[in-house]
Amino acid sequence: MIAKRKVFRYESPLGPLMERLVREKRACGYKYDTPACVLKDLDHFLCGTSIQPNELPKSLVAQWLAQYPHEQASTHQRRIILVRQLARLMIRLGFSAYEPPKGIGPRRSYVFSPRILTHAEVRQIILAVDSFPPSPKSPLRHIILPEVFRLLYGCGFRLSEVLNLKIRDVDLQQGVITVRQGKFGKDRLVPPSMEMVERLRIYAEELEKRTMARRDPDAYFFPSARQAAWGCTTIYHLYRKALLQCGIPHGGRGKGPRVHDLRHTFAVHRLLQWYEEGADLNAKLPFLVAYLGHKDFTGTQKYLHLTAELFPNLTARMNQQFGGVIPQGW
């Protein structure tokens, strides 16, 4: 069953072209959900102008791109790319449109600096989450949260992947979790540890006892009180509460430790475990790439360099043992 995408109604004179752009991108295999939402913002802006059909003048593009002076560089670049795509479609169809040149706008920062937690810190966080009591707004959170956080660290899932799991996605007989429409629009199979599978079996049985009925396969595996998916912001605030309870300092929003750093921590800890076990890292890396849902080795190689930065005394031994597994000049 494919999740329904939100359909926006574009009402400006360029609305039909925006709809065509969305259709073309999705026909090429792109999810194009966030861009479709940003297009709605552009559409709303254009509705308040005197723009004519089938034209996109430079003056209006400049006005729209300057609307949010304090937005992040990545968000601003996303809007530039979007209007560039729309302009290229219009030019291809023979219409007049201004295409923003490459190189304009603030530069995006690609600094990769996650906070890798120690094994002791992970244990502290899990114990803190285990101690959360039920609340009037979340009467089942003491049952749900321990499993959510164990999956984040134990399998390296992205938070949205865990929160959007449906019952049909969690095969407790075969011990396999199916992530549908992940970050790059692809499904993937993730086998948790047997200990984790057993915990999930107990969790599923407990929820059925409490609802006194067999749950629908399309229901969320981790339901909120409204039987919807948990919100990422809610999990983030509970994570901050756990960090405070553990005495682990937090640098502020966006600085970490972030919930997403549990995924990074999983990858680094897995590499270290393989090294300590004497496994061939060159042979193991493809498994980590597939497990994490990366498109290629590029994303996974970052963890090799991060491991080298955190444990410089291991780098020479790792390269000597595994033939330069950490590329130079990263």
Side-chain angles (χ1 to χ4, degrees):
M1 181 176 177
I2 300 174
K4 291 183 179 179
R5 291 192 172 111
K6 186 171 183 179
V7 178
F8 292 98
R9 289 185 59 192
Y10 302 110
E11 301 173 350
S12 71
L14 296 188
L17 292 169
M18 293 179 178
E19 292 173 358
R20 176 166 178 166
L21 177 61
V22 174
R23 288 198 304 270
E24 287 190 1
K25 289 295 182 180
R26 287 178 173 170
C28 291
Y30 296 99
K31 293 171 65 175
Y32 219 68
D33 292 338
T34 299
C37 182
V38 178
L39 271 177
K40 184 59 183 175
D41 181 62
L42 174 59
D43 181 69
H44 178 73
F45 166 78
L46 293 177
C47 284
T49 70
S50 58
I51 190 172
Q52 299 299 311
N54 302 331
E55 70 169 18
L56 184 60
K58 180 179 179 179
S59 58
L60 289 182
V61 170
Q63 285 181 44
W64 183 64
L65 291 177
Q67 259 197 329
Y68 311 108
H70 302 297
E71 69 184 343
Q72 293 184 354
S74 59
T75 305
H76 191 77
Q77 283 295 332
R78 185 182 298 122
R79 294 201 296 132
I80 292 173
I81 291 170
L82 184 73
V83 78
R84 186 182 295 135
Q85 291 174 348
L86 179 61
R88 286 176 178 173
L89 170 65
M90 294 178 66
I91 292 170
R92 174 161 56 88
L93 295 175
F95 302 134
S96 175
Y98 170 70
E99 179 183 340
K102 291 186 177 181
I104 69 168
R107 290 178 176 269
R108 296 178 64 175
S109 174
Y110 292 95
V111 177
F112 183 75
S113 55
R115 165 72 153 80
I116 302 303
L117 299 157
T118 66
H119 287 89
E121 287 174 329
V122 172
R123 283 193 293 271
Q124 280 184 287
I125 292 170
I126 294 298
L127 288 174
V129 171
D130 286 350
S131 70
F132 285 164
S135 72
K137 290 185 178 180
S138 302
L140 297 177
R141 75 176 191 178
H142 62 299
I143 299 173
I144 291 172
L145 292 178
E147 312 314 322
V148 168
F149 278 89
R150 280 175 171 82
L151 283 175
L152 292 174
Y153 170 70
C155 296
F157 283 121
R158 300 177 180 91
L159 178 57
S160 60
E161 293 173 345
V162 173
L163 300 184
N164 288 319
L165 286 174
K166 303 291 183 66
I167 291 177
R168 58 184 166 81
D169 300 329
V170 185
D171 187 340
L172 298 176
Q173 298 301 316
Q174 299 296 323
V176 175
I177 294 176
T178 302
V179 176
R180 302 185 190 276
Q181 293 291 300
K183 182 175 180 180
F184 301 105
K186 294 182 179 180
D187 296 352
R188 76 178 190 278
L189 303 178
V190 178
S193 68
M194 291 308 300
E195 180 183 356
M196 188 71 239
V197 172
E198 185 56 33
R199 286 191 62 95
L200 293 178
R201 285 176 183 156
I202 295 172
Y203 159 82
E205 290 172 1
E206 180 63 22
L207 246 64
E208 287 202 352
K209 287 180 183 177
R210 288 173 178 267
T211 57
M212 294 184 292
R214 190 168 184 81
R215 300 179 65 209
D216 190 296
D218 286 324
Y220 285 100
F221 192 73
F222 297 115
S224 68
R226 296 180 291 105
Q227 300 304 307
W230 278 67
C232 291
T233 302
T234 301
I235 298 296
Y236 169 77
H237 286 307
L238 290 168
Y239 179 64
R240 287 285 301 272
K241 183 177 179 180
L243 292 176
L244 180 63
Q245 187 173 319
C246 297
I248 299 174
H250 192 279
R253 188 170 183 83
K255 296 182 180 179
R258 305 163 298 174
V259 174
H260 198 65
D261 288 341
L262 289 170
R263 171 176 164 87
H264 299 318
T265 298
F266 158 79
V268 170
H269 286 184
R270 176 56 59 184
L271 287 169
L272 286 174
Q273 181 179 338
W274 281 339
Y275 168 73
E276 291 167 356
E277 293 173 349
D280 184 346
L281 293 186
N282 287 305
K284 288 288 189 179
L285 279 178
F287 292 102
L288 190 58
V289 171
Y291 205 83
L292 291 170
H294 287 160
K295 287 195 297 185
D296 49 42
F297 282 92
T298 305
T300 311
Q301 279 181 324
K302 294 177 181 178
Y303 295 122
L304 286 168
H305 286 268
L306 191 56
T307 304
E309 291 173 8
L310 292 170
F311 307 94
N313 59 314
L314 296 182
T315 305
R317 284 189 289 160
M318 288 174 75
N319 280 333
Q320 182 180 9
Q321 185 172 349
F322 304 115
V325 68
I326 303 179
Q328 297 297 316
W330 180 263

